[in-house]
């Protein structure tokens, strides 16, 4: 039995209707280097989506490899309850140094993005409980996505993921996300909602600038500022979910740098280790931290844990990622590269069945707005594989979120391949 047969016999893949693999090719990857994945026939595929948005500096990056290897000979893991290690201490200090002007000073670790969201929601609720305030509700934006564990799913609004689990979910209020530069109606809705429910809401959670799983919807930082200003009147905590957009994706280190209003809690994951190992961190203000700091008998401690919290190997990768940001002028290079990406992709505007071309930093997206096929995105996915591209459209939204090390000629190849696919008139 070959690898693909064994896979389909024993593995249940995420976000997949497994019956699709009766006809949908399964890409089995043998090895990878830079922006390329290689199958067992040594065919190369450009990783156009950074392997679900995690890879920043290419596969098998020599520097990150060396730092993980170095750490491997010292310490692979130790529990973070009552113990610590140099890697997690250095990582925490470095992250907080970057964020100190935003008053984010304390790090709480987990191992994936959804877990960091769960932590943020629990922490916000518990914060008010420790202050003898009962606030049970959360506020989120329409079209949002924050993960697929129960609490994270609750504050999302992508029906595909949550429609079967409604009876399990938390009590969440939704307010409309901005659709353009005139968001007066959205703010009016929010203001009325807060007049009614503001004192019952413990936290407002949002993905700043880009709702990634929400079909790469991009919206204004000015809307974020005005929405947060309204929430602050009611003492509501602010959670920024930068699991996907942190670490340079928006051409600033963190998306929060592009808004005037700042969060009380910041969730980070995905790119934090450059796509190597699972790690996430919630970074919060001293005010949040101090609400839990008391004698043991007061029962105020935040009792939440993960077995692999602050894993030493993952922290070694994360510290290597920060080294690369510090030494390689990444953000400035990304600004140049993102302009090239825009110029190349906008040549696809020649096709009248494509529309809503948009970009935020190193993320570019457009929609198939006219098509004959029920699953046009799936058709593009299959044809792209034939041309050596790994894409994963969101329904009929095609997006490009590559590792930062992609070269101009590789971007051009992606665009020319898409042009060939669209020129067949098979959509």
């Amino acid at each position: 039995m070959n690898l693909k047969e064994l896979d389909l016999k024993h593995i249940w893949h995420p976000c997949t209707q497994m019956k699709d693999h009766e006809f949908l090719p399964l890409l089995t990857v043998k090895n990878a280097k830079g922006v390329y994945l290689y199958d067992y026939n040594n065919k190369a595929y450009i990783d156009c989506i950074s392997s679900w948005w995690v890879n920043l500096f290419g596969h098998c990056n020599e520097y990150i490899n060396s730092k993980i290897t170095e750490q491997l000979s010292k310490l692979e893991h130790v529990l973070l309850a009552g113990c610590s290690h140099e890697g997690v201490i250095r990582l925490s200090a470095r992250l907080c140094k970057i964020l100190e002007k935003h008053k984010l000073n304390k790090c709480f670790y987990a191992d994936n993005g959804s877990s960091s969201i769960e932590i943020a929601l629990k922490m916000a609720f518990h914060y008010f409980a420790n202050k003898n305030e009962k606030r049970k509700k959360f506020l989120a934006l329409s079209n949002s996505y924050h993960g697929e564990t129960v609490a994270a799913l609750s504050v999302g609004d992508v029906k595909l993921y949550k429609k079967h689990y409604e009876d399990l979910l938390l009590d969440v209020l939704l307010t409309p996300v901005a659709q353009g530069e005139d968001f007066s109606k959205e703010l009016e809705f929010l203001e009325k909602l807060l007049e009614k429910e503001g004192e019952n809401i413990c936290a407002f959670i949002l993905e700043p600038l880009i709702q990634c799983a929400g079909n790469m919807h991009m919206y204004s930082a000015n809307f974020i500022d005005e929405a947060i200003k309204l929430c602050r009147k009611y003492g509501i905590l602010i959670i920024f979910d930068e699991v996907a957009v942190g670490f340079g994706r928006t051409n600033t280190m963190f998306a929060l740098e592009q808004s005037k209003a700042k969060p009380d809690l910041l969730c980070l994951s995905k790119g934090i280790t450059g796509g190597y190992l699972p790690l996430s961190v919630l970074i919060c203000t001293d005010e949040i931290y101090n609400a839990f700091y008391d004698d043991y008998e007061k029962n105020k401690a935040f009792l939440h844990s993960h077995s692999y919290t602050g894993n030493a190997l993952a922290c070694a990768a994360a510290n290597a990622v920060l080294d690369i940001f510090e030494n390689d002028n990444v953000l400035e290079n990304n600004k140049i590269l993102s302009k090239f990406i825009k110029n190349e992709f906008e040549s696809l505007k020649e096709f009248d069945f494509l529309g809503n071309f948009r970009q935020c930093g190193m993320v570019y997206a457009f929609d198939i707005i006219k098509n004959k096929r029920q699953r046009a995105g799936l058709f593009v996915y299959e044809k792209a594989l034939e041309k050596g591209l790994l894409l994963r459209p969101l329904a009929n939204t095609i997006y490009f979120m590559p590792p930062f090390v992609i070269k101009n000629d590789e971007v051009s190849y992606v665009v020319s391949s898409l042009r060939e696919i669209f020129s067949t008139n098979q959509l």
Side-chain angles (χ1 to χ4, degrees), residues 258-364:
Q258 299 182 44
S259 63
K260 295 176 183 176
K262 306 304 177 186
D264 303 289
L265 306 104
L266 173 66
C267 298
L268 302 172
S269 190
K270 289 194 183 288
I272 192 171
T273 66
Y276 270 73
L277 290 160
L279 184 70
S280 66
V281 60
L282 168 77
I283 309 177
C284 69
T285 62
D286 284 332
E287 180 182 353
I288 302 291
Y289 174 83
N290 290 336
F292 295 85
Y293 196 91
D294 210 330
D295 294 328
Y296 182 83
E297 291 76 14
K298 300 288 182 65
N299 199 27
K300 288 186 174 183
F302 186 62
L303 298 178
H304 185 102
S305 60
H306 291 260
S307 299
Y308 284 93
T309 294
N311 174 259
L313 296 175
C315 289
N319 275 308
V321 163
L322 293 184
D323 290 345
I324 295 172
F325 272 106
E326 289 176 5
N327 299 327
D328 290 1
N329 205 27
V330 174
L331 296 176
E332 289 305 312
N333 290 337
N334 280 2
K335 290 176 184 177
I336 297 169
L337 181 55
S338 63
K339 289 179 181 177
F340 183 82
I341 289 170
K342 177 181 172 67
N343 289 336
E344 289 291 291
F345 270 84
E346 297 212 338
S347 69
L348 297 176
K349 288 183 176 180
E350 67 183 82
F351 298 101
D352 62 4
F353 54 85
L354 304 179
N356 193 19
F357 288 79
R358 55 204 184 272
Q359 183 182 35
C360 181
M362 287 292 291
V363 183
Y364 196 94

Side-chain angles (χ1 to χ4, degrees), residues 102-246:
H102 309 303
K103 299 181 180 180
L104 295 165
N105 298 313
K106 293 292 189 297
C107 296
F108 194 103
Y109 287 90
D111 50 13
N112 65 81
S114 294
S115 292
S116 70
I117 300 299
E118 298 276 330
I119 291 165
L121 298 175
K122 285 178 64 177
M123 194 176 284
F125 171 81
H126 198 163
Y127 167 83
F128 283 106
N130 281 352
K131 296 176 65 179
N132 295 316
E133 290 187 50
K134 189 175 182 180
R135 298 195 183 206
K136 292 182 63 176
K137 296 184 179 183
F138 294 93
L139 176 66
L141 291 175
S142 64
N143 193 54
S144 57
Y145 173 90
H146 298 286
E148 292 164 48
T149 49
V150 172
L153 193 62
S154 299
V155 291
D157 186 43
V158 179
K159 296 295 186 288
L160 175 67
Y161 299 105
K162 67 184 296 183
K163 62 183 178 181
H164 296 295
Y165 308 104
E166 294 289 351
D167 292 344
L168 289 174
L169 305 182
L170 305 179
D171 189 358
V172 175
L173 303 165
L174 292 172
T175 191
V177 67
Q179 298 297 323
E181 288 303 320
D182 179 8
F183 36 79
S184 54
K185 290 183 179 179
E186 289 88 347
L187 291 177
E188 182 181 351
F189 182 99
L190 174 59
E191 190 166 21
K192 289 180 179 177
L193 185 154
L194 291 172
E195 287 172 0
K196 181 180 178 181
E197 296 280 6
E199 293 180 357
N200 299 318
I201 299 169
C202 59
F204 174 35
I205 184 169
L206 61 126
E207 307 152 273
L209 303 182
I210 312 175
Q211 294 180 313
C212 291
N215 295 95
M216 294 295 166
H217 175 64
M218 301 175 187
Y219 66 104
S220 169
N222 293 329
F223 170 75
I224 294 172
D225 290 334
E226 295 303 316
I228 290 176
K229 190 183 298 182
L230 292 173
C231 290
R232 291 293 189 196
K233 294 179 181 179
Y234 296 87
I236 296 168
L237 296 177
I238 309 301
I239 303 169
F240 273 18
D241 173 358
E242 293 211 30
V243 168
V245 299

Side-chain angles (χ1 to χ4, degrees), residues 18-141:
M18 292 301 297
K19 186 175 175 59
D20 280 353
H21 283 300
E22 291 180 6
F23 65 88
L24 187 67
L26 183 69
L27 175 58
T28 308
V29 178
K30 179 181 179 182
N31 58 289
K33 183 66 178 176
V35 300
Y36 292 98
L37 305 167
Y38 298 89
D39 67 15
Y40 278 77
N41 294 316
N42 294 319
K43 180 178 177 179
Y45 302 80
I46 295 177
D47 189 349
C48 298
I49 58 167
S50 299
S51 291
W52 253 348
W53 321 338
V54 300
N55 193 290
L56 299 185
F57 301 120
H59 297 277
C60 292
N61 180 282
E62 291 182 7
Y63 183 74
I64 301 175
N65 282 3
S66 69
K67 291 300 179 180
I68 293 174
T69 302
E70 181 182 316
Q71 181 62 45
L72 190 59
S73 64
K74 298 177 182 178
L75 173 68
E76 81 298 342
H77 179 66
V78 67
L79 76 163
L80 210 61
C83 299
S84 193
H85 56 87
E86 182 183 354
V88 74
I89 295 168
R90 287 185 58 242
L91 176 60
S92 303
R94 296 173 79 181
L95 289 171
C96 291
K97 181 67 175 177
I98 295 169
L99 293 161
E100 67 178 345
K101 65 181 177 181
H102 309 303
K103 299 181 180 180
L104 295 165
N105 298 313
K106 293 292 189 297
C107 296
F108 194 103
Y109 287 90
D111 50 13
N112 65 81
S114 294
S115 292
S116 70
I117 300 299
E118 298 276 330
I119 291 165
L121 298 175
K122 285 178 64 177
M123 194 176 284
F125 171 81
H126 198 163
Y127 167 83
F128 283 106
N130 281 352
K131 296 176 65 179
N132 295 316
E133 290 187 50
K134 189 175 182 180
R135 298 195 183 206
K136 292 182 63 176
K137 296 184 179 183
F138 294 93
L139 176 66
L141 291 175

